[in-house]
Amino acid sequence: MAQPAAKPFAYVGLGSNLDDPAAQIRAALDAIGRIAGIRVLAVSSLYRSPPMGPPEQPEYCNAVCVVECGIAPSMLMSQLLEIERQAGRVRGGEHWGPRRIDLDLLHVEGVSSATAGLRLPHPGIAQRNFVLAPLAEIAPQLRIPGVGAVAELAARIPRDDLSMWPI
C-alpha cells in the first residue's frame, strides 16, 4: 500500500505593533493552528523591529512559524487574510502603517506564484531582517528557490535595529 504524500511546509510571517503586540501574535498563532488542514510545527522567538513605514508608529513584534500545509496555498492565504480581518485589520489603508496583525505567507515548499493575490516566495523575504532572523531560527536549512539559503541570507543582513522582544 502506498504511503500518503507528504504535506508541504509553509512559512508564515507574523507582525503586530498595536494593542499588546505579543498577545496579538499569540492569538494569530492560535488561529492559524485552528485552520483545517494546517498543523503548526514550530514558532520562532519574538523579535522587536522598527516600523518599515511612517516612523511615528510603535515598534513591531515579529515572528515566523512553519506549518504542515494540507490545503492549497491560495486557501491558506485566504484563511490568513480572514484571521487579519477578524483581528480588525482593514487592508487598503495606510501602506506599512500600524496594525494589530499582519500575516504574510512567505514560502510554500514546491510552490511559486505570481498572481495578484499570492506571490510566492514573498517578494520581500530576502530584504527583511525581521523575517530572516526568525526564519533562520526555525528553518536554517531552508533553501528558497530563486532567493537562496535562509541561513546565508540571515547571516548577511544587518541586524543593528533588531532585538528580542521582552518577555
Side-chain angles (χ1 to χ4, degrees), residues 46-49 59 159-166:
L46 300 180
Y47 290 78
R48 177 189 300 269
S49 66
E59 292 182 310
R159 294 188 187 198
D160 299 344
D161 60 356
L162 192 67
S163 61
M164 300 309 287
W165 188 266

Side-chain angles (χ1 to χ4, degrees), residues 9 22 25 28-29 35 42 44 47 49 51 81 89-90 101 117 125 145 157:
F9 291 166
I25 297 287
L29 286 165
I35 298 171
S44 73
Y47 290 78
S49 66
L81 292 173
R89 175 148 184 213
V90 178
I101 196 68
I125 197 168
I157 198 160

Side-chain angles (χ1 to χ4, degrees), residues 16-137:
S16 173
N17 72 341
L18 295 176
D19 301 332
D20 190 352
Q24 296 294 336
I25 297 287
R26 287 189 291 275
L29 286 165
D30 288 344
I32 291 168
R34 290 191 303 270
I35 298 171
I38 297 296
R39 185 167 62 106
V40 177
L41 301 175
V43 179
S44 73
S45 301
L46 300 180
Y47 290 78
R48 177 189 300 269
S49 66
M52 283 183 62
E56 56 285 331
Q57 61 179 308
E59 292 182 310
Y60 270 81
C61 179
N62 299 101
V64 171
C65 71
V66 57
V67 301
E68 185 178 59
C69 190
I71 61 176
S74 60
M75 178 59 76
L76 176 55
M77 188 69 229
S78 175
Q79 293 293 312
L80 296 175
L81 292 173
E82 179 59 19
I83 291 167
E84 287 184 348
R85 189 193 66 72
Q86 289 179 3
R89 175 148 184 213
V90 178
R91 285 197 173 245
E94 182 178 14
H95 189 59
W96 292 331
R99 54 199 62 173
R100 271 197 194 109
I101 196 68
D102 180 34
L103 301 174
D104 290 325
L105 186 52
L106 302 171
H107 174 64
V108 178
E109 291 180 337
V111 177
S112 64
S113 177
T115 67
L118 183 61
R119 294 184 61 200
L120 290 173
H122 189 284
I125 197 168
Q127 292 83 37
R128 298 177 178 170
N129 64 3
F130 59 86
V131 170
L132 286 172
L135 185 56
E137 181 185 322

